[in-house]
Coordinates of all heavy atoms in Angstrom, one line a residue:
M903 N 56.2 0.7 90.5 CA 57.6 1.1 90.8 C 58.4 -0.2 91.2 O 57.9 -1.0 92.0 CB 57.6 2.1 91.9 CG 59.0 2.6 92.2 SD 59.1 4.1 93.3 CE 58.2 5.3 92.3
T904 N 59.6 -0.3 90.7 CA 60.4 -1.5 90.9 C 61.2 -1.3 92.3 O 61.3 -0.2 92.9 CB 61.5 -1.7 89.8 OG1 62.4 -0.6 89.8 CG2 60.8 -1.8 88.5
V905 N 61.7 -2.5 92.8 CA 62.5 -2.5 94.0 C 63.7 -1.7 93.8 O 64.1 -0.9 94.7 CB 62.9 -4.0 94.3 CG1 63.9 -4.0 95.5 CG2 61.6 -4.8 94.7
E906 N 64.4 -1.8 92.6 CA 65.6 -1.0 92.4 C 65.4 0.5 92.5 O 66.1 1.2 93.1 CB 66.2 -1.3 91.0 CG 67.4 -0.5 90.7 CD 67.9 -0.8 89.2 OE1 67.1 -0.7 88.3 OE2 69.1 -1.0 89.1
R907 N 64.3 1.0 91.9 CA 64.0 2.4 92.0 C 63.6 2.8 93.4 O 64.1 3.9 93.8 CB 62.8 2.7 91.0 CG 63.2 2.6 89.5 CD 62.0 3.0 88.7 NE 61.6 4.3 88.8 CZ 60.5 4.8 88.4 NH1 59.6 4.0 87.8 NH2 60.2 6.1 88.6
T908 N 62.9 2.0 94.1 CA 62.6 2.4 95.5 C 63.8 2.4 96.4 O 63.9 3.3 97.2 CB 61.5 1.3 96.0 OG1 60.4 1.2 95.1 CG2 61.1 1.7 97.4
V909 N 64.7 1.5 96.1 CA 66.0 1.5 96.9 C 66.8 2.7 96.6 O 67.3 3.4 97.6 CB 66.8 0.2 96.6 CG1 68.2 0.4 97.1 CG2 66.2 -1.0 97.2
R910 N 66.8 3.2 95.4 CA 67.5 4.4 95.1 C 66.9 5.6 95.8 O 67.6 6.5 96.2 CB 67.5 4.6 93.5 CG 68.5 3.7 92.8 CD 68.5 4.0 91.3 NE 69.4 3.2 90.6 CZ 69.9 3.4 89.5 NH1 69.6 4.6 88.9 NH2 70.7 2.6 88.9
I911 N 65.6 5.7 95.7 CA 64.9 6.8 96.3 C 65.1 6.9 97.9 O 65.5 7.9 98.4 CB 63.4 6.7 96.0 CG1 63.1 7.0 94.6 CG2 62.6 7.7 96.9 CD1 61.7 6.7 94.1
I912 N 65.0 5.7 98.5 CA 65.2 5.6 99.9 C 66.6 5.9 100.3 O 67.0 6.7 101.3 CB 64.8 4.2 100.5 CG1 63.2 4.1 100.4 CG2 65.1 4.1 101.9 CD1 62.7 2.8 100.6
A913 N 67.6 5.3 99.6 CA 69.0 5.6 99.9 C 69.3 7.1 99.7 O 70.1 7.6 100.6 CB 69.9 4.7 99.0
G914 N 68.9 7.7 98.7 CA 69.1 9.1 98.5 C 68.6 9.9 99.5 O 69.2 10.9 100.0
L915 N 67.4 9.6 100.0 CA 66.7 10.4 101.1 C 67.5 10.2 102.4 O 67.7 11.2 103.1 CB 65.2 9.9 101.2 CG 64.2 10.5 100.4 CD1 62.9 9.9 100.6 CD2 64.1 12.0 100.6
F916 N 67.9 9.0 102.7 CA 68.6 8.8 103.9 C 69.9 9.6 103.9 O 70.3 10.2 105.0 CB 68.9 7.3 104.1 CG 67.8 6.6 104.7 CD1 66.5 7.1 104.9 CD2 67.9 5.2 105.0 CE1 65.5 6.4 105.4 CE2 66.9 4.5 105.5 CZ 65.7 5.1 105.7
I917 N 70.7 9.7 102.8 CA 71.9 10.4 102.7 C 71.6 11.9 102.9 O 72.3 12.5 103.7 CB 72.6 10.2 101.3 CG1 73.1 8.7 101.3 CG2 73.7 11.2 101.1 CD1 73.6 8.3 99.9
M918 N 70.6 12.4 102.2 CA 70.4 13.8 102.4 C 69.8 14.2 103.7 O 70.2 15.2 104.3 CB 69.4 14.3 101.3 CG 70.0 14.2 99.9 SD 68.9 14.9 98.5 CE 67.5 13.8 98.6
I919 N 69.0 13.3 104.3 CA 68.4 13.6 105.6 C 69.6 13.5 106.7 O 69.6 14.4 107.6 CB 67.3 12.6 106.0 CG1 66.1 12.9 105.2 CG2 67.0 12.6 107.5 CD1 65.0 11.8 105.3
S920 N 70.5 12.6 106.5 CA 71.6 12.5 107.5 C 72.5 13.8 107.4 O 73.0 14.3 108.5 CB 72.5 11.2 107.3 OG 73.1 11.3 106.1
L921 N 72.7 14.3 106.2 CA 73.5 15.5 106.1 C 72.8 16.7 106.7 O 73.3 17.5 107.4 CB 73.8 15.8 104.6 CG 74.9 14.9 104.0 CD1 75.0 15.2 102.5 CD2 76.3 15.2 104.6
L922 N 71.4 16.8 106.4 CA 70.6 17.8 107.0 C 70.6 17.8 108.5 O 70.8 18.8 109.2 CB 69.2 17.8 106.5 CG 68.2 18.8 107.1 CD1 68.6 20.2 106.6 CD2 66.8 18.5 106.6
L923 N 70.4 16.6 109.1 CA 70.5 16.5 110.5 C 71.8 16.8 111.2 O 71.9 17.5 112.2 CB 70.0 15.1 111.0 CG 68.6 14.7 110.7 CD1 68.3 13.2 111.0 CD2 67.6 15.6 111.5
A924 N 72.9 16.4 110.5 CA 74.2 16.8 111.0 C 74.5 18.3 110.9 O 75.1 18.9 111.9 CB 75.3 16.0 110.2
H925 N 74.0 18.9 109.9 CA 74.1 20.3 109.8 C 73.3 21.1 110.9 O 73.8 22.0 111.5 CB 73.6 20.8 108.4 CG 73.7 22.3 108.2 ND1 74.8 23.0 108.0 CD2 72.7 23.2 108.1 CE1 74.6 24.3 107.9 NE2 73.3 24.4 108.0
L926 N 72.0 20.6 111.1 CA 71.2 21.2 112.1 C 71.7 21.0 113.5 O 71.5 21.8 114.4 CB 69.7 20.7 112.0 CG 69.0 21.1 110.7 CD1 67.7 20.5 110.6 CD2 68.9 22.6 110.6
A927 N 72.4 19.9 113.7 CA 72.9 19.6 115.1 C 74.2 20.3 115.3 O 74.7 20.4 116.4 CB 73.2 18.1 115.2
G928 N 74.8 20.9 114.3 CA 76.0 21.7 114.4 C 77.3 20.9 114.3 O 78.3 21.5 114.5
T929 N 77.2 19.6 114.0 CA 78.4 18.9 113.8 C 79.0 19.0 112.4 O 80.1 18.7 112.3 CB 78.1 17.4 114.0 OG1 77.0 16.9 113.1 CG2 77.6 17.2 115.5
V930 N 78.2 19.5 111.4 CA 78.7 19.7 110.1 C 78.2 21.0 109.6 O 77.1 21.5 109.8 CB 78.1 18.6 109.1 CG1 78.4 18.9 107.7 CG2 78.6 17.2 109.5
D931 N 79.1 21.8 109.0 CA 78.8 23.1 108.5 C 78.7 23.0 107.0 O 79.7 23.1 106.3 CB 79.8 24.2 108.9 CG 79.4 25.6 108.6 OD1 78.3 25.7 108.0 OD2 80.2 26.5 108.8
M932 N 77.5 22.9 106.4 CA 77.3 22.8 105.0 C 77.3 24.1 104.3 O 77.2 24.1 103.1 CB 75.9 22.0 104.7 CG 75.9 20.6 105.1 SD 77.1 19.5 104.3 CE 76.4 19.5 102.7
S933 N 77.5 25.2 105.0 CA 77.5 26.5 104.4 C 79.0 26.8 103.8 O 79.1 27.8 103.1 CB 77.2 27.6 105.3 OG 78.1 27.7 106.4
H934 N 79.9 25.9 104.1 CA 81.3 26.0 103.6 C 81.6 24.9 102.6 O 80.9 23.9 102.6 CB 82.3 25.9 104.7 CG 82.3 27.1 105.6 ND1 81.1 27.6 106.1 CD2 83.3 27.7 106.2 CE1 81.5 28.7 107.0 NE2 82.7 28.7 107.0
I935 N 82.5 25.2 101.6 CA 82.8 24.2 100.7 C 83.5 23.1 101.4 O 84.5 23.3 102.1 CB 83.7 24.8 99.6 CG1 83.1 25.9 98.8 CG2 84.2 23.8 98.6 CD1 81.9 25.5 98.0
S936 N 83.1 21.8 101.2 CA 83.8 20.7 101.7 C 83.4 19.5 100.9 O 82.6 19.5 100.0 CB 83.3 20.5 103.2 OG 81.9 20.0 103.2
W937 N 84.1 18.4 101.3 CA 83.8 17.1 100.6 C 82.4 16.6 100.8 O 81.9 15.7 100.1 CB 84.8 16.1 100.9 CG 86.2 16.4 100.3 CD1 87.3 16.9 100.9 CD2 86.5 16.1 98.9 NE1 88.3 17.0 99.9 CE2 87.8 16.6 98.7 CE3 85.8 15.7 97.7 CZ2 88.5 16.5 97.5 CZ3 86.4 15.6 96.6 CH2 87.8 16.0 96.4
L938 N 81.7 17.1 101.8 CA 80.4 16.7 102.1 C 79.4 17.0 101.0 O 78.3 16.5 100.8 CB 79.9 17.2 103.4 CG 80.6 16.6 104.6 CD1 80.1 17.3 105.9 CD2 80.4 15.1 104.7
W939 N 79.8 18.0 100.2 CA 78.9 18.4 99.1 C 78.9 17.3 98.0 O 77.9 17.1 97.3 CB 79.3 19.8 98.4 CG 78.8 20.9 99.3 CD1 79.5 21.6 100.1 CD2 77.4 21.3 99.3 NE1 78.7 22.5 100.8 CE2 77.4 22.3 100.3 CE3 76.3 20.9 98.7 CZ2 76.2 23.0 100.6 CZ3 75.1 21.6 99.1 CH2 75.1 22.7 100.0
L940 N 80.0 16.5 97.9 CA 80.0 15.4 97.0 C 79.0 14.3 97.5 O 78.2 13.7 96.8 CB 81.4 14.7 97.0 CG 81.5 13.4 96.1 CD1 81.2 13.7 94.7 CD2 82.9 12.9 96.3
T941 N 78.9 14.1 98.9 CA 78.0 13.2 99.5 C 76.5 13.7 99.2 O 75.7 12.9 98.8 CB 78.2 13.1 101.0 OG1 79.6 12.7 101.2 CG2 77.3 12.1 101.6
A942 N 76.3 15.0 99.3 CA 75.0 15.5 99.0 C 74.6 15.3 97.5 O 73.5 15.0 97.2 CB 74.9 17.0 99.3
F943 N 75.6 15.5 96.6 CA 75.3 15.3 95.2 C 74.9 13.8 94.9 O 74.0 13.5 94.2 CB 76.6 15.7 94.4 CG 76.5 15.3 92.9 CD1 75.7 16.1 92.1 CD2 77.1 14.2 92.4 CE1 75.6 15.7 90.7 CE2 77.1 13.8 91.1 CZ 76.3 14.6 90.3
V944 N 75.7 12.9 95.5 CA 75.4 11.5 95.3 C 74.0 11.2 95.9 O 73.2 10.4 95.2 CB 76.5 10.6 96.0 CG1 76.1 9.1 96.0 CG2 77.8 10.7 95.3
G945 N 73.7 11.7 97.0 CA 72.3 11.4 97.6 C 71.2 12.0 96.8 O 70.2 11.3 96.5
F946 N 71.4 13.2 96.3 CA 70.4 13.8 95.4 C 70.3 13.0 94.1 O 69.2 12.8 93.6 CB 70.8 15.3 95.1 CG 69.8 15.9 94.2 CD1 68.5 16.3 94.6 CD2 70.1 16.1 92.8 CE1 67.6 16.9 93.8 CE2 69.2 16.7 92.0 CZ 67.9 17.1 92.4
N947 N 71.4 12.6 93.5 CA 71.4 11.9 92.3 C 70.7 10.5 92.4 O 70.0 10.1 91.5 CB 72.8 11.7 91.7 CG 72.8 11.3 90.2 OD1 71.9 11.7 89.5 ND2 73.7 10.5 89.9
L948 N 71.0 9.9 93.5 CA 70.3 8.6 93.8 C 68.8 8.8 93.9 O 67.9 8.1 93.3 CB 70.7 8.0 95.2 CG 71.9 7.1 95.2 CD1 72.4 6.9 96.6 CD2 71.6 5.8 94.5
F949 N 68.3 9.9 94.6 CA 66.9 10.2 94.7 C 66.3 10.5 93.4 O 65.2 9.9 93.0 CB 66.7 11.3 95.7 CG 65.3 11.8 95.9 CD1 64.5 11.0 96.7 CD2 64.9 12.9 95.3 CE1 63.2 11.5 96.9 CE2 63.5 13.3 95.5 CZ 62.7 12.6 96.3
Q950 N 66.9 11.4 92.6 CA 66.3 11.8 91.4 C 66.3 10.6 90.3 O 65.4 10.5 89.5 CB 67.0 13.1 90.8 CG 68.3 12.9 90.2 CD 68.4 12.4 88.8 OE1 67.5 12.5 88.1 NE2 69.5 11.8 88.5
S951 N 67.3 9.8 90.4 CA 67.4 8.7 89.4 C 66.3 7.6 89.6 O 65.8 7.0 88.8 CB 68.7 8.0 89.4 OG 69.0 7.3 90.5
G952 N 65.9 7.5 90.9 CA 64.9 6.7 91.3 C 63.5 7.1 90.8 O 62.6 6.3 90.5
I953 N 63.4 8.4 90.7 CA 62.1 9.0 90.3 C 62.0 9.2 88.8 O 61.1 8.8 88.1 CB 61.9 10.4 91.0 CG1 61.6 10.2 92.4 CG2 60.7 11.1 90.3 CD1 61.6 11.5 93.2
T954 N 63.1 9.6 88.2 CA 63.1 10.0 86.7 C 63.7 8.9 85.8 O 63.6 9.0 84.6 CB 64.0 11.3 86.5 OG1 65.3 11.0 86.8 CG2 63.5 12.4 87.2
R955 N 64.4 7.9 86.4 CA 65.1 6.8 85.7 C 66.3 7.3 84.9 O 66.7 6.6 84.0 CB 64.1 6.1 84.7 CG 63.0 5.4 85.4 CD 62.2 4.6 84.4 NE 61.0 3.9 85.1 CZ 60.2 3.1 84.6 NH1 60.3 2.9 83.3 NH2 59.2 2.6 85.2
F956 N 66.7 8.5 85.1 CA 67.9 9.1 84.5 C 69.1 9.0 85.4 O 69.0 9.7 86.5 CB 67.7 10.5 84.0 CG 68.9 11.2 83.5 CD1 69.4 10.8 82.2 CD2 69.6 12.1 84.2 CE1 70.6 11.4 81.7 CE2 70.7 12.7 83.7 CZ 71.3 12.3 82.5
C957 N 70.1 8.3 85.1 CA 71.3 8.1 85.9 C 72.5 8.2 85.1 O 72.8 7.3 84.2 CB 71.2 6.9 86.7 SG 72.7 6.7 87.8
P958 N 73.3 9.3 85.2 CA 74.5 9.5 84.4 C 75.5 8.3 84.5 O 76.1 7.9 83.6 CB 75.1 10.8 84.9 CG 74.0 11.5 85.5 CD 73.1 10.5 86.0
M959 N 75.6 7.7 85.7 CA 76.5 6.6 85.9 C 76.1 5.4 85.2 O 76.9 4.6 84.6 CB 76.6 6.3 87.4 CG 77.6 5.2 87.8 SD 79.3 5.5 87.2 CE 79.8 6.8 88.3
D960 N 74.8 5.2 85.1 CA 74.3 4.0 84.3 C 74.7 4.2 82.8 O 75.2 3.2 82.1 CB 72.7 4.0 84.3 CG 72.2 3.3 85.6 OD1 72.9 2.7 86.3 OD2 71.0 3.4 85.8
I961 N 74.6 5.4 82.3 CA 74.9 5.7 80.9 C 76.5 5.4 80.7 O 76.9 4.8 79.8 CB 74.6 7.1 80.5 CG1 73.0 7.3 80.6 CG2 75.1 7.5 79.1 CD1 72.5 8.7 80.5
M962 N 77.3 6.0 81.6 CA 78.7 5.8 81.5 C 79.1 4.4 81.5 O 80.0 3.9 80.8 CB 79.4 6.6 82.5 CG 79.3 8.1 82.4 SD 80.4 9.1 83.5 CE 79.4 9.0 84.9
L963 N 78.5 3.6 82.5 CA 78.9 2.2 82.6 C 78.5 1.4 81.4 O 79.3 0.5 80.9 CB 78.3 1.6 83.9 CG 78.9 2.1 85.1 CD1 78.1 1.6 86.4 CD2 80.4 1.8 85.3
K964 N 77.3 1.6 80.8 CA 76.9 1.0 79.6 C 77.8 1.3 78.4 O 78.2 0.4 77.6 CB 75.4 1.3 79.2 CG 74.4 0.8 80.2 CD 73.1 1.2 79.9 CE 72.1 0.7 81.0 NZ 70.8 1.2 80.8
K965 N 78.2 2.6 78.3 CA 79.2 2.9 77.2 C 80.5 2.3 77.4 O 81.3 2.0 76.5 CB 79.3 4.4 77.1 CG 78.1 5.1 76.5 CD 78.3 6.5 76.3 CE 77.1 7.1 75.7 NZ 77.2 8.6 75.4
A966 N 80.9 2.0 78.7 CA 82.2 1.3 79.0 C 82.1 -0.1 78.8 O 83.1 -0.8 78.9 CB 82.6 1.7 80.4
G967 N 80.9 -0.6 78.4 CA 80.8 -2.1 78.1 C 80.4 -3.0 79.3 O 80.4 -4.2 79.2
V968 N 80.0 -2.4 80.4 CA 79.5 -3.1 81.5 C 78.2 -3.7 81.2 O 77.3 -2.9 80.8 CB 79.5 -2.3 82.8 CG1 79.0 -3.1 84.0 CG2 80.9 -1.7 83.1
K969 N 78.0 -5.0 81.4 CA 76.7 -5.6 81.1 C 75.8 -5.5 82.2 O 76.1 -5.7 83.4 CB 77.0 -7.1 80.7 CG 77.8 -7.3 79.5 CD 78.0 -8.7 79.2 CE 78.9 -8.9 78.0 NZ 79.3 -10.3 77.8
P970 N 74.4 -5.3 81.9 CA 73.5 -5.2 83.0 C 73.2 -6.6 83.6 O 73.3 -7.6 82.8 CB 72.2 -4.7 82.3 CG 72.4 -5.0 80.9 CD 73.9 -4.9 80.6
G971 N 72.9 -6.7 84.8 CA 72.7 -8.0 85.5 C 71.3 -8.0 86.1 O 70.5 -7.1 86.0
C972 N 71.1 -9.1 86.7 CA 69.8 -9.3 87.4 C 69.7 -8.7 88.8 O 68.7 -8.7 89.4 CB 69.4 -10.8 87.4 SG 70.5 -11.8 88.5
G973 N 70.9 -8.3 89.3 CA 70.9 -7.7 90.6 C 71.1 -8.7 91.8 O 71.0 -8.3 92.9
L974 N 71.4 -9.9 91.4 CA 71.6 -10.9 92.5 C 73.0 -11.3 92.6 O 73.8 -11.3 91.8 CB 70.7 -12.2 92.1 CG 69.3 -12.0 92.1 CD1 68.6 -13.3 91.6 CD2 68.7 -11.6 93.4

């Protein structure tokens, strides 16, 4: 597993865990429609893209002509 994939998995988990903890603490109500569902979607997508190597944003950026880099 590469560093990039591991970072995506960890970042996605941290986002989803923070939303879950906020919900359980009562500071955020995830049972209602809110912009926090966008955050949950991003966290889940980061996590799944680290595992499956499928990322819709990667595909869209490549089609838009963005060149891949070395990450430095």
Side-chain angles (χ1 to χ4, degrees):
M903 186 167 298
T904 64
V905 171
E906 180 186 44
R907 290 180 64 196
T908 305
V909 167
R910 286 183 181 201
I911 291 169
I912 292 170
L915 275 175
F916 280 5
I917 290 170
M918 292 187 297
I919 289 170
S920 68
L921 285 171
L922 176 66
L923 291 173
H925 178 73
L926 293 176
T929 57
V930 170
D931 187 5
M932 292 298 287
S933 64
H934 291 44
I935 299 295
S936 71
W937 285 105
L938 291 175
W939 281 104
L940 177 63
T941 306
F943 172 76
V944 170
F946 178 76
N947 195 34
L948 273 169
F949 179 76
Q950 72 81 24
S951 69
I953 294 173
T954 65
R955 295 185 185 183
F956 173 74
C957 181
M959 184 57 74
D960 282 348
I961 295 168
M962 289 187 283
L963 290 173
K964 287 176 186 172
K965 286 185 179 182
V968 178
K969 297 178 182 176
C972 65
L974 298 175

